[in-house]
């Protein structure tokens, strides 16, 4: 096997003005499943996530709560944002906070370099600013409601709140100088995905790029501009640099060279920052641009982006408390086509939990481990000298086929397609057991060899499922792996060769179902509309 490229994937870093909702958890889970897949394939993998803690939005929230911004961010990170990782079972390799010293040092160094190299100049700016977006807006990005609380005012289309007029002396980054190089970059078809996001960005840049205001002087909650202490660095510039500050930009060249560039997963609302401003900043610093920027869709409530400010947020634990983290992960990755918007519903979650996880995968795992225990005292039969039937061979072929299909889907970041491919094996194995009727074969000693072949084939398939599903449903996979007597941990079993998983051959029945029956009626689930 040729060595594969290292795989560095980063989520956006999250604003800590409020607690997480399932939209944030969705970004985390997507990145984590991709990272887990690569890690289990033996790739040199790194998953970074973290928190975005500077800027006016956080400052105002802290003030409104009567604490300093640092007290506020410490409190939120500890009580809400790091616990989220456990709630949805994220195996991140690092967690960066923009208030970390390592980050602040790297940001100062980067900005100073751009300044020294002539990419930054002083100027004055007047414009509409949305504190929710932490962004200057053009007039055509604003709406003017005719009724309601903000009637007659200019309101941000995303946050539905009035923008403010700001006039400040600012430092500017000569972003306009990079317009042609950015357009060239976009001709690389996989740089921005999906197509819809790419088209939007290309037409935005074609309209002409302005220079970017990269400092603020009306408040001081941020990283100081190194050559002018009366300014702090614009929060987006500060935040984007987390992707390189965390891997040793300026301090650990070896690690930086090993990891960078990253695959960047972002919500489509912030794709522009990542596909325009960020590569332009990197080009100015003579650093490689990200490998790709993927803008995933939104979780919608009532047709609108779920958001805390609009009070439509559902906390991730509201789902995991009842269904568990595996089901959370599975549901969002399976039910929503990655790259498109999707609506969450308790009914849909319950239905998929029951049909696909409990009855599909869970029941299959229980049946196979129970039958091997019952008919063969827990030994997976050795069938190396037995001639397999066509149906057995078909299962083995399916394992290889879906394994390759899932791996290709992961390369395309098509998480739902990967799960759909793996589910072909779930369904085929369930059909195989129904057709082969091991319980009937067990009644007559003359069928012993045939029963051996069926049980061994089923065990092979179920073990392959434990391996292939481990990035998506890590807890259930680990439980099944233990019951199958798998060697080491399931994460150590090569995900690109699930057919040839290894174990002791000794099976123990599952003590409890992988996905237990849930008594709560979907309609009365917490937070149900
Ligand atoms: N702090 C910035 C990102 C800086 S990255 C250098 C930010 N933070 S955020 O907390 O508002 O959003 C973080 C991520 O959560 C974004 O990718 C955003 O798209 C995602 N989501 C927030 N609400 C969402 C939904 N309703 N649905 C899906 N993802 C959503 O932006």
């Amino acid at each position: 096997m040729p060595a594969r490229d290292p795989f560095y994937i980063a989520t956006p870093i999250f604003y800590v003005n409020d607690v997480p909702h399932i939209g944030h958890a969705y970004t985390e889970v997507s990145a984590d499943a991709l990272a887990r897949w690569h890690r289990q394939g033996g790739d040199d993998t790194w998953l970074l996530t973290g928190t975005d803690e500077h800027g006016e939005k956080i400052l105002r929230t802290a003030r409104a709560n009567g604490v300093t911004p640092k007290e506020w961010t410490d409190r939120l990170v500890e009580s809400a944002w790091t616990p989220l990782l456990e709630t949805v079972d994220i195996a991140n390799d690092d967690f960066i906070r923009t208030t970390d010293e390592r980050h602040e040092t790297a940001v100062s160094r980067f900005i100073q370099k751009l300044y020294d190299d002539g990419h930054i100049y002083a100027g004055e700016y007047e414009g509409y600013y949305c504190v929710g977006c932490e962004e200057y807006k053009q007039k055509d990005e604003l709406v003017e409601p005719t009724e309601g609380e903000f009637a007659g005012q200019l309101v941000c289309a995303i946050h539905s709140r009035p923008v403010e007029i700001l006039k400040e002396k600012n430092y500017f980054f000569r972003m306009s100088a990079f317009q042609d190089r950015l357009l060239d970059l976009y001709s690389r078809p996989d740089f921005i995905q999906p197509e819809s996001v790419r088209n939007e960005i290309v037409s935005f840049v074609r309209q002409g790029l302005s220079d970017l205001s990269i400092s603020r002087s009306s408040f001081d909650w941020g990283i100081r501009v190194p050559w002018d202490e009366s300014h702090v660095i614009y929060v987006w510039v500060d935040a984007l640099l987390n992707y390189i500050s965390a891997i040793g930009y300026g301090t650990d060249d070896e690690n930086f060279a090993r990891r960078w560039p990253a695959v960047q997963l972002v919500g489509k609302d912030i794709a522009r920052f990542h596909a325009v401003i960020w590569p332009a900043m990197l080009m100015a610093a003579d650093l490689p641009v990200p490998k790709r920027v993927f803008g995933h869709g939104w979780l919608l409530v009532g047709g609108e982006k779920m958001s805390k400010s609009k009070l439509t947020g559902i906390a991730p634990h509201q789902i995991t408390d009842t269904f568990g983290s595996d089901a959370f992960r599975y549901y969002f990755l399976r039910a929503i086509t990655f790259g498109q918007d999707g609506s969450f519903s308790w009914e849909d979650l319950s239905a998929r939990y029951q049909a696909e996880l409990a009855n599909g995968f869970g029941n299959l795992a229980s049946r196979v481990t129970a039958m091997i225990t019952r008919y063969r005292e827990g030994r997976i039969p050795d069938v190396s000298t037995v001639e397999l039937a066509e149906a057995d061979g078909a299962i083995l072929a399916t394992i290889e086929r879906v394994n390759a299909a899932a791996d290709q889907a992961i390369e395309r970041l098509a998480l739902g397609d990967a799960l759909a491919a793996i589910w072909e094996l779930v369904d085929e194995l369930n059909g195989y057991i129904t057709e082969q009727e091991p319980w009937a074969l067990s009644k007559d000693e003359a069928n012993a060899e045939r029963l051996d072949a069926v049980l061994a084939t089923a065990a092979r398939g179920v073990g392959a499922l434990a391996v292939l599903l481990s990035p998506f449903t890590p807890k259930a996979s680990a439980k099944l792996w233990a019951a199958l007597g798998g060697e080491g941990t399931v994460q150590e079993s090569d995900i690109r060769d699930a057919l040839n998983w290894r174990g002791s051959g000794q099976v123990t029945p599952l003590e409890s179902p992988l996905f237990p029956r849930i008594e709560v009626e979907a309609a009365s689930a917490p937070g149900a509309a």
Side-chain angles (χ1 to χ4, degrees), residues 358-375 426-439 455 458-459 462 480 484 507 509-510 513-514:
N359 297 343
F361 174 38
N363 195 28
L364 171 69
S366 298
R367 279 163 100 194
V368 172
T369 49
M371 287 190 297
I372 296 173
T373 307
R374 182 147 165 220
Y375 303 138
V426 172
D427 293 340
E428 219 174 291
L429 275 170
N430 272 319
Y432 171 80
I433 290 170
T434 307
E435 276 163 28
Q436 301 300 319
E437 301 186 306
W439 47 90
L455 293 176
V462 171
L480 174 57
L484 289 170
V507 169
L510 284 162
L514 295 181

mmCIF file of all heavy atoms in Angstrom, residues 358-375 426-439 455 458-459 462 480 484 507 509-510 513-514:
data_model
loop_
_atom_site.group_PDB
_atom_site.id
_atom_site.type_symbol
_atom_site.label_atom_id
_atom_site.label_comp_id
_atom_site.label_asym_id
_atom_site.label_seq_id
_atom_site.Cartn_x
_atom_site.Cartn_y
_atom_site.Cartn_z
ATOM 1 N N ALA A 358 -31.752 -0.228 16.111
ATOM 2 C CA ALA A 358 -32.196 -1.308 17.011
ATOM 3 C C ALA A 358 -32.520 -2.572 16.209
ATOM 4 O O ALA A 358 -31.940 -3.639 16.449
ATOM 5 C CB ALA A 358 -33.398 -0.838 17.819
ATOM 6 N N ASN A 359 -33.438 -2.465 15.230
ATOM 7 C CA ASN A 359 -33.854 -3.669 14.496
ATOM 8 C C ASN A 359 -32.855 -4.089 13.430
ATOM 9 O O ASN A 359 -32.727 -5.274 13.133
ATOM 10 C CB ASN A 359 -35.219 -3.456 13.820
ATOM 11 C CG ASN A 359 -36.311 -3.202 14.845
ATOM 12 O OD1 ASN A 359 -36.118 -3.492 16.033
ATOM 13 N ND2 ASN A 359 -37.429 -2.653 14.408
ATOM 14 N N GLY A 360 -32.173 -3.156 12.839
ATOM 15 C CA GLY A 360 -31.250 -3.495 11.755
ATOM 16 C C GLY A 360 -29.920 -4.012 12.267
ATOM 17 O O GLY A 360 -29.649 -5.213 12.265
ATOM 18 N N PHE A 361 -29.111 -3.113 12.775
ATOM 19 C CA PHE A 361 -27.756 -3.460 13.203
ATOM 20 C C PHE A 361 -27.753 -4.171 14.565
ATOM 21 O O PHE A 361 -27.150 -5.236 14.747
ATOM 22 C CB PHE A 361 -26.929 -2.160 13.242
ATOM 23 C CG PHE A 361 -25.536 -2.286 13.788
ATOM 24 C CD1 PHE A 361 -24.746 -3.404 13.523
ATOM 25 C CD2 PHE A 361 -24.989 -1.259 14.558
ATOM 26 C CE1 PHE A 361 -23.442 -3.497 14.033
ATOM 27 C CE2 PHE A 361 -23.696 -1.344 15.057
ATOM 28 C CZ PHE A 361 -22.926 -2.473 14.802
ATOM 29 N N GLY A 362 -28.453 -3.588 15.546
ATOM 30 C CA GLY A 362 -28.397 -4.112 16.919
ATOM 31 C C GLY A 362 -28.903 -5.545 17.011
ATOM 32 O O GLY A 362 -28.266 -6.427 17.601
ATOM 33 N N ASN A 363 -30.041 -5.765 16.387
ATOM 34 C CA ASN A 363 -30.643 -7.088 16.445
ATOM 35 C C ASN A 363 -29.766 -8.126 15.739
ATOM 36 O O ASN A 363 -29.607 -9.256 16.199
ATOM 37 C CB ASN A 363 -32.023 -6.987 15.775
ATOM 38 C CG ASN A 363 -32.880 -8.177 16.099
ATOM 39 O OD1 ASN A 363 -32.705 -8.775 17.148
ATOM 40 N ND2 ASN A 363 -33.771 -8.532 15.179
ATOM 41 N N LEU A 364 -29.169 -7.736 14.646
ATOM 42 C CA LEU A 364 -28.258 -8.621 13.911
ATOM 43 C C LEU A 364 -27.086 -9.040 14.814
ATOM 44 O O LEU A 364 -26.731 -10.221 14.911
ATOM 45 C CB LEU A 364 -27.744 -7.883 12.675
ATOM 46 C CG LEU A 364 -26.624 -8.538 11.878
ATOM 47 C CD1 LEU A 364 -27.139 -9.790 11.163
ATOM 48 C CD2 LEU A 364 -26.053 -7.554 10.849
ATOM 49 N N ALA A 365 -26.516 -8.057 15.490
ATOM 50 C CA ALA A 365 -25.382 -8.343 16.379
ATOM 51 C C ALA A 365 -25.804 -9.287 17.494
ATOM 52 O O ALA A 365 -25.083 -10.255 17.820
ATOM 53 C CB ALA A 365 -24.859 -7.035 16.965
ATOM 54 N N SER A 366 -26.975 -9.070 18.076
ATOM 55 C CA SER A 366 -27.456 -9.944 19.157
ATOM 56 C C SER A 366 -27.689 -11.362 18.642
ATOM 57 O O SER A 366 -27.299 -12.340 19.279
ATOM 58 C CB SER A 366 -28.780 -9.440 19.740
ATOM 59 O OG SER A 366 -28.590 -8.180 20.297
ATOM 60 N N ARG A 367 -28.320 -11.451 17.480
ATOM 61 C CA ARG A 367 -28.642 -12.789 16.948
ATOM 62 C C ARG A 367 -27.379 -13.592 16.677
ATOM 63 O O ARG A 367 -27.267 -14.756 17.032
ATOM 64 C CB ARG A 367 -29.408 -12.662 15.630
ATOM 65 C CG ARG A 367 -30.873 -12.384 15.791
ATOM 66 C CD ARG A 367 -31.399 -11.867 14.472
ATOM 67 N NE ARG A 367 -32.076 -12.898 13.697
ATOM 68 C CZ ARG A 367 -32.386 -12.754 12.408
ATOM 69 N NH1 ARG A 367 -32.026 -11.673 11.752
ATOM 70 N NH2 ARG A 367 -33.020 -13.707 11.764
ATOM 71 N N VAL A 368 -26.431 -12.965 16.025
ATOM 72 C CA VAL A 368 -25.234 -13.707 15.607
ATOM 73 C C VAL A 368 -24.426 -14.151 16.827
ATOM 74 O O VAL A 368 -24.028 -15.313 16.935
ATOM 75 C CB VAL A 368 -24.378 -12.870 14.624
ATOM 76 C CG1 VAL A 368 -23.046 -13.547 14.343
ATOM 77 C CG2 VAL A 368 -25.147 -12.644 13.326
ATOM 78 N N THR A 369 -24.224 -13.253 17.767
ATOM 79 C CA THR A 369 -23.444 -13.655 18.955
ATOM 80 C C THR A 369 -24.205 -14.705 19.765
ATOM 81 O O THR A 369 -23.604 -15.651 20.286
ATOM 82 C CB THR A 369 -23.088 -12.431 19.834
ATOM 83 O OG1 THR A 369 -24.272 -11.664 20.058
ATOM 84 C CG2 THR A 369 -22.051 -11.551 19.187
ATOM 85 N N ALA A 370 -25.539 -14.568 19.832
ATOM 86 C CA ALA A 370 -26.323 -15.549 20.604
ATOM 87 C C ALA A 370 -26.277 -16.928 19.941
ATOM 88 O O ALA A 370 -26.129 -17.955 20.618
ATOM 89 C CB ALA A 370 -27.766 -15.069 20.740
ATOM 90 N N MET A 371 -26.367 -16.974 18.622
ATOM 91 C CA MET A 371 -26.391 -18.286 17.934
ATOM 92 C C MET A 371 -25.037 -18.992 18.043
ATOM 93 O O MET A 371 -24.983 -20.207 18.208
ATOM 94 C CB MET A 371 -26.804 -18.113 16.470
ATOM 95 C CG MET A 371 -28.289 -17.812 16.339
ATOM 96 S SD MET A 371 -28.883 -17.882 14.632
ATOM 97 C CE MET A 371 -27.964 -16.600 13.863
ATOM 98 N N ILE A 372 -23.970 -18.223 17.950
ATOM 99 C CA ILE A 372 -22.645 -18.858 18.071
ATOM 100 C C ILE A 372 -22.479 -19.402 19.500
ATOM 101 O O ILE A 372 -21.947 -20.497 19.706
ATOM 102 C CB ILE A 372 -21.525 -17.875 17.679
ATOM 103 C CG1 ILE A 372 -21.663 -17.514 16.206
ATOM 104 C CG2 ILE A 372 -20.143 -18.469 17.950
ATOM 105 C CD1 ILE A 372 -20.723 -16.427 15.715
ATOM 106 N N THR A 373 -22.975 -18.651 20.455
ATOM 107 C CA THR A 373 -22.904 -19.114 21.849
ATOM 108 C C THR A 373 -23.734 -20.402 22.015
ATOM 109 O O THR A 373 -23.287 -21.393 22.593
ATOM 110 C CB THR A 373 -23.467 -18.024 22.791
ATOM 111 O OG1 THR A 373 -22.794 -16.810 22.509
ATOM 112 C CG2 THR A 373 -23.277 -18.396 24.244
ATOM 113 N N ARG A 374 -24.916 -20.372 21.447
ATOM 114 C CA ARG A 374 -25.853 -21.461 21.665
ATOM 115 C C ARG A 374 -25.464 -22.727 20.891
ATOM 116 O O ARG A 374 -25.435 -23.820 21.450
ATOM 117 C CB ARG A 374 -27.227 -20.967 21.219
ATOM 118 C CG ARG A 374 -28.313 -21.939 21.427
ATOM 119 C CD ARG A 374 -29.593 -21.184 21.739
ATOM 120 N NE ARG A 374 -30.707 -22.096 21.595
ATOM 121 C CZ ARG A 374 -31.852 -21.760 21.048
ATOM 122 N NH1 ARG A 374 -32.021 -20.530 20.619
ATOM 123 N NH2 ARG A 374 -32.810 -22.631 20.951
ATOM 124 N N TYR A 375 -25.139 -22.565 19.633
ATOM 125 C CA TYR A 375 -24.902 -23.759 18.808
ATOM 126 C C TYR A 375 -23.457 -24.232 18.826
ATOM 127 O O TYR A 375 -23.178 -25.388 18.501
ATOM 128 C CB TYR A 375 -25.309 -23.491 17.346
ATOM 129 C CG TYR A 375 -26.743 -23.047 17.175
ATOM 130 C CD1 TYR A 375 -27.070 -22.021 16.291
ATOM 131 C CD2 TYR A 375 -27.774 -23.657 17.899
ATOM 132 C CE1 TYR A 375 -28.381 -21.616 16.130
ATOM 133 C CE2 TYR A 375 -29.092 -23.237 17.752
ATOM 134 C CZ TYR A 375 -29.389 -22.214 16.871
ATOM 135 O OH TYR A 375 -30.686 -21.792 16.716
ATOM 136 N N VAL A 426 -25.503 -4.551 6.377
ATOM 137 C CA VAL A 426 -26.443 -4.851 7.475
ATOM 138 C C VAL A 426 -27.657 -5.581 6.899
ATOM 139 O O VAL A 426 -28.052 -6.645 7.379
ATOM 140 C CB VAL A 426 -26.898 -3.552 8.195
ATOM 141 C CG1 VAL A 426 -28.008 -3.840 9.200
ATOM 142 C CG2 VAL A 426 -25.718 -2.861 8.869
ATOM 143 N N ASP A 427 -28.232 -5.007 5.862
ATOM 144 C CA ASP A 427 -29.455 -5.577 5.302
ATOM 145 C C ASP A 427 -29.195 -6.942 4.677
ATOM 146 O O ASP A 427 -29.985 -7.876 4.826
ATOM 147 C CB ASP A 427 -30.051 -4.621 4.250
ATOM 148 C CG ASP A 427 -30.547 -3.328 4.894
ATOM 149 O OD1 ASP A 427 -30.784 -3.332 6.120
ATOM 150 O OD2 ASP A 427 -30.677 -2.309 4.183
ATOM 151 N N GLU A 428 -28.072 -7.055 3.986
ATOM 152 C CA GLU A 428 -27.785 -8.333 3.332
ATOM 153 C C GLU A 428 -27.536 -9.435 4.362
ATOM 154 O O GLU A 428 -27.974 -10.571 4.181
ATOM 155 C CB GLU A 428 -26.575 -8.174 2.406
ATOM 156 C CG GLU A 428 -26.773 -8.952 1.121
ATOM 157 C CD GLU A 428 -25.659 -8.686 0.126
ATOM 158 O OE1 GLU A 428 -25.617 -7.545 -0.383
ATOM 159 O OE2 GLU A 428 -24.854 -9.601 -0.138
ATOM 160 N N LEU A 429 -26.867 -9.096 5.425
ATOM 161 C CA LEU A 429 -26.612 -10.101 6.465
ATOM 162 C C LEU A 429 -27.910 -10.534 7.139
ATOM 163 O O LEU A 429 -28.116 -11.718 7.411
ATOM 164 C CB LEU A 429 -25.658 -9.542 7.527
ATOM 165 C CG LEU A 429 -24.173 -9.659 7.223
ATOM 166 C CD1 LEU A 429 -23.359 -8.858 8.230
ATOM 167 C CD2 LEU A 429 -23.719 -11.128 7.243
ATOM 168 N N ASN A 430 -28.780 -9.588 7.398
ATOM 169 C CA ASN A 430 -30.075 -9.959 7.983
ATOM 170 C C ASN A 430 -30.838 -10.885 7.056
ATOM 171 O O ASN A 430 -31.413 -11.892 7.490
ATOM 172 C CB ASN A 430 -30.904 -8.703 8.313
ATOM 173 C CG ASN A 430 -30.599 -8.168 9.708
ATOM 174 O OD1 ASN A 430 -30.453 -8.946 10.669
ATOM 175 N ND2 ASN A 430 -30.501 -6.863 9.836
ATOM 176 N N GLY A 431 -30.813 -10.577 5.751
ATOM 177 C CA GLY A 431 -31.494 -11.427 4.764
ATOM 178 C C GLY A 431 -30.850 -12.802 4.695
ATOM 179 O O GLY A 431 -31.544 -13.836 4.622
ATOM 180 N N TYR A 432 -29.561 -12.846 4.748
ATOM 181 C CA TYR A 432 -28.792 -14.100 4.682
ATOM 182 C C TYR A 432 -29.186 -15.031 5.827
ATOM 183 O O TYR A 432 -29.460 -16.218 5.631
ATOM 184 C CB TYR A 432 -27.309 -13.739 4.750
ATOM 185 C CG TYR A 432 -26.322 -14.887 4.915
ATOM 186 C CD1 TYR A 432 -25.943 -15.663 3.818
ATOM 187 C CD2 TYR A 432 -25.746 -15.145 6.160
ATOM 188 C CE1 TYR A 432 -25.006 -16.680 3.969
ATOM 189 C CE2 TYR A 432 -24.806 -16.159 6.316
ATOM 190 C CZ TYR A 432 -24.442 -16.928 5.225
ATOM 191 O OH TYR A 432 -23.515 -17.935 5.367
ATOM 192 N N ILE A 433 -29.272 -14.469 7.021
ATOM 193 C CA ILE A 433 -29.610 -15.305 8.189
ATOM 194 C C ILE A 433 -31.044 -15.819 8.072
ATOM 195 O O ILE A 433 -31.322 -16.986 8.319
ATOM 196 C CB ILE A 433 -29.369 -14.523 9.501
ATOM 197 C CG1 ILE A 433 -27.854 -14.356 9.672
ATOM 198 C CG2 ILE A 433 -29.962 -15.242 10.697
ATOM 199 C CD1 ILE A 433 -27.434 -13.423 10.747
ATOM 200 N N THR A 434 -31.929 -14.954 7.626
ATOM 201 C CA THR A 434 -33.315 -15.397 7.442
ATOM 202 C C THR A 434 -33.366 -16.537 6.424
ATOM 203 O O THR A 434 -34.050 -17.543 6.624
ATOM 204 C CB THR A 434 -34.181 -14.210 6.949
ATOM 205 O OG1 THR A 434 -33.985 -13.135 7.842
ATOM 206 C CG2 THR A 434 -35.652 -14.563 6.883
ATOM 207 N N GLU A 435 -32.637 -16.424 5.342
ATOM 208 C CA GLU A 435 -32.674 -17.466 4.303
ATOM 209 C C GLU A 435 -31.965 -18.743 4.719
ATOM 210 O O GLU A 435 -32.428 -19.848 4.435
ATOM 211 C CB GLU A 435 -31.989 -16.954 3.031
ATOM 212 C CG GLU A 435 -32.890 -16.139 2.155
ATOM 213 C CD GLU A 435 -32.084 -15.325 1.141
ATOM 214 O OE1 GLU A 435 -30.972 -15.757 0.753
ATOM 215 O OE2 GLU A 435 -32.570 -14.242 0.762
ATOM 216 N N GLN A 436 -30.837 -18.616 5.375
ATOM 217 C CA GLN A 436 -30.041 -19.817 5.722
ATOM 218 C C GLN A 436 -30.619 -20.567 6.920
ATOM 219 O O GLN A 436 -30.311 -21.738 7.124
ATOM 220 C CB GLN A 436 -28.578 -19.448 6.011
ATOM 221 C CG GLN A 436 -27.864 -18.762 4.856
ATOM 222 C CD GLN A 436 -27.814 -19.625 3.602
ATOM 223 O OE1 GLN A 436 -27.587 -20.836 3.663
ATOM 224 N NE2 GLN A 436 -28.076 -19.014 2.460
ATOM 225 N N GLU A 437 -31.437 -19.906 7.697
ATOM 226 C CA GLU A 437 -32.109 -20.520 8.857
ATOM 227 C C GLU A 437 -31.182 -21.370 9.719
ATOM 228 O O GLU A 437 -31.385 -22.578 9.863
ATOM 229 C CB GLU A 437 -33.286 -21.383 8.386
ATOM 230 C CG GLU A 437 -34.322 -20.610 7.606
ATOM 231 C CD GLU A 437 -35.534 -21.460 7.274
ATOM 232 O OE1 GLU A 437 -35.333 -22.545 6.679
ATOM 233 O OE2 GLU A 437 -36.639 -21.063 7.627
ATOM 234 N N PRO A 438 -30.211 -20.810 10.334
ATOM 235 C CA PRO A 438 -29.303 -21.593 11.181
ATOM 236 C C PRO A 438 -30.044 -22.392 12.253
ATOM 237 O O PRO A 438 -29.612 -23.494 12.612
ATOM 238 C CB PRO A 438 -28.382 -20.542 11.817
ATOM 239 C CG PRO A 438 -28.753 -19.232 11.267
ATOM 240 C CD PRO A 438 -29.828 -19.385 10.270
ATOM 241 N N TRP A 439 -31.137 -21.838 12.755
ATOM 242 C CA TRP A 439 -31.911 -22.553 13.778
ATOM 243 C C TRP A 439 -32.466 -23.857 13.225
ATOM 244 O O TRP A 439 -32.527 -24.857 13.947
ATOM 245 C CB TRP A 439 -33.032 -21.665 14.341
ATOM 246 C CG TRP A 439 -33.819 -20.956 13.249
ATOM 247 C CD1 TRP A 439 -34.922 -21.406 12.617
ATOM 248 C CD2 TRP A 439 -33.499 -19.699 12.654
ATOM 249 N NE1 TRP A 439 -35.331 -20.521 11.658
ATOM 250 C CE2 TRP A 439 -34.477 -19.454 11.663
ATOM 251 C CE3 TRP A 439 -32.479 -18.764 12.848
ATOM 252 C CZ2 TRP A 439 -34.477 -18.310 10.865
ATOM 253 C CZ3 TRP A 439 -32.503 -17.623 12.060
ATOM 254 C CH2 TRP A 439 -33.472 -17.393 11.082
ATOM 255 N N LEU A 455 -22.524 -19.766 10.338
ATOM 256 C CA LEU A 455 -22.163 -19.006 11.544
ATOM 257 C C LEU A 455 -20.833 -18.262 11.339
ATOM 258 O O LEU A 455 -20.685 -17.099 11.744
ATOM 259 C CB LEU A 455 -22.061 -19.930 12.771
ATOM 260 C CG LEU A 455 -23.382 -20.545 13.212
ATOM 261 C CD1 LEU A 455 -23.155 -21.519 14.385
ATOM 262 C CD2 LEU A 455 -24.411 -19.483 13.613
ATOM 263 N N ALA A 458 -21.485 -15.315 9.051
ATOM 264 C CA ALA A 458 -22.218 -14.248 9.744
ATOM 265 C C ALA A 458 -21.281 -13.522 10.708
ATOM 266 O O ALA A 458 -21.298 -12.288 10.809
ATOM 267 C CB ALA A 458 -23.413 -14.827 10.491
ATOM 268 N N ALA A 459 -20.433 -14.282 11.408
ATOM 269 C CA ALA A 459 -19.498 -13.654 12.355
ATOM 270 C C ALA A 459 -18.532 -12.739 11.612
ATOM 271 O O ALA A 459 -18.234 -11.625 12.050
ATOM 272 C CB ALA A 459 -18.713 -14.725 13.113
ATOM 273 N N VAL A 462 -20.455 -9.571 10.764
ATOM 274 C CA VAL A 462 -20.760 -8.717 11.905
ATOM 275 C C VAL A 462 -19.475 -8.068 12.431
ATOM 276 O O VAL A 462 -19.470 -6.895 12.824
ATOM 277 C CB VAL A 462 -21.504 -9.533 12.992
ATOM 278 C CG1 VAL A 462 -21.641 -8.731 14.267
ATOM 279 C CG2 VAL A 462 -22.877 -9.916 12.488
ATOM 280 N N LEU A 480 -19.621 -4.530 20.596
ATOM 281 C CA LEU A 480 -19.736 -5.688 19.712
ATOM 282 C C LEU A 480 -18.374 -6.357 19.523
ATOM 283 O O LEU A 480 -18.263 -7.591 19.514
ATOM 284 C CB LEU A 480 -20.325 -5.229 18.371
ATOM 285 C CG LEU A 480 -20.402 -6.262 17.260
ATOM 286 C CD1 LEU A 480 -21.204 -7.495 17.702
ATOM 287 C CD2 LEU A 480 -21.066 -5.655 16.009
ATOM 288 N N LEU A 484 -17.330 -10.213 20.276
ATOM 289 C CA LEU A 484 -16.817 -11.099 19.218
ATOM 290 C C LEU A 484 -15.401 -11.586 19.521
ATOM 291 O O LEU A 484 -14.821 -12.334 18.730
ATOM 292 C CB LEU A 484 -16.796 -10.350 17.872
ATOM 293 C CG LEU A 484 -18.155 -10.072 17.236
ATOM 294 C CD1 LEU A 484 -17.994 -9.119 16.059
ATOM 295 C CD2 LEU A 484 -18.819 -11.373 16.770
ATOM 296 N N VAL A 507 -16.534 -16.141 21.285
ATOM 297 C CA VAL A 507 -17.598 -15.135 21.337
ATOM 298 C C VAL A 507 -18.350 -15.223 22.666
ATOM 299 O O VAL A 507 -18.544 -16.316 23.194
ATOM 300 C CB VAL A 507 -18.574 -15.389 20.160
ATOM 301 C CG1 VAL A 507 -19.841 -14.560 20.292
ATOM 302 C CG2 VAL A 507 -17.879 -15.105 18.832
ATOM 303 N N PRO A 509 -22.052 -13.731 24.437
ATOM 304 C CA PRO A 509 -23.263 -13.015 23.992
ATOM 305 C C PRO A 509 -23.250 -11.572 24.510
ATOM 306 O O PRO A 509 -22.620 -11.279 25.514
ATOM 307 C CB PRO A 509 -24.406 -13.808 24.635
ATOM 308 C CG PRO A 509 -23.796 -14.715 25.626
ATOM 309 C CD PRO A 509 -22.333 -14.805 25.380
ATOM 310 N N LEU A 510 -23.936 -10.691 23.789
ATOM 311 C CA LEU A 510 -24.036 -9.296 24.242
ATOM 312 C C LEU A 510 -24.895 -9.264 25.505
ATOM 313 O O LEU A 510 -25.982 -9.851 25.534
ATOM 314 C CB LEU A 510 -24.711 -8.454 23.159
ATOM 315 C CG LEU A 510 -23.838 -8.110 21.963
ATOM 316 C CD1 LEU A 510 -24.702 -7.669 20.784
ATOM 317 C CD2 LEU A 510 -22.856 -7.005 22.334
ATOM 318 N N PRO A 513 -28.761 -5.253 24.576
ATOM 319 C CA PRO A 513 -28.785 -4.892 23.150
ATOM 320 C C PRO A 513 -27.912 -3.657 22.881
ATOM 321 O O PRO A 513 -27.766 -2.795 23.749
ATOM 322 C CB PRO A 513 -30.251 -4.555 22.885
ATOM 323 C CG PRO A 513 -31.018 -4.951 24.090
ATOM 324 C CD PRO A 513 -30.071 -5.180 25.216
ATOM 325 N N LEU A 514 -27.341 -3.588 21.687
ATOM 326 C CA LEU A 514 -26.525 -2.415 21.339
ATOM 327 C C LEU A 514 -27.375 -1.149 21.357
ATOM 328 O O LEU A 514 -26.916 -0.086 21.743
ATOM 329 C CB LEU A 514 -25.905 -2.583 19.947
ATOM 330 C CG LEU A 514 -24.885 -3.714 19.774
ATOM 331 C CD1 LEU A 514 -24.346 -3.711 18.342
ATOM 332 C CD2 LEU A 514 -23.735 -3.582 20.773
#
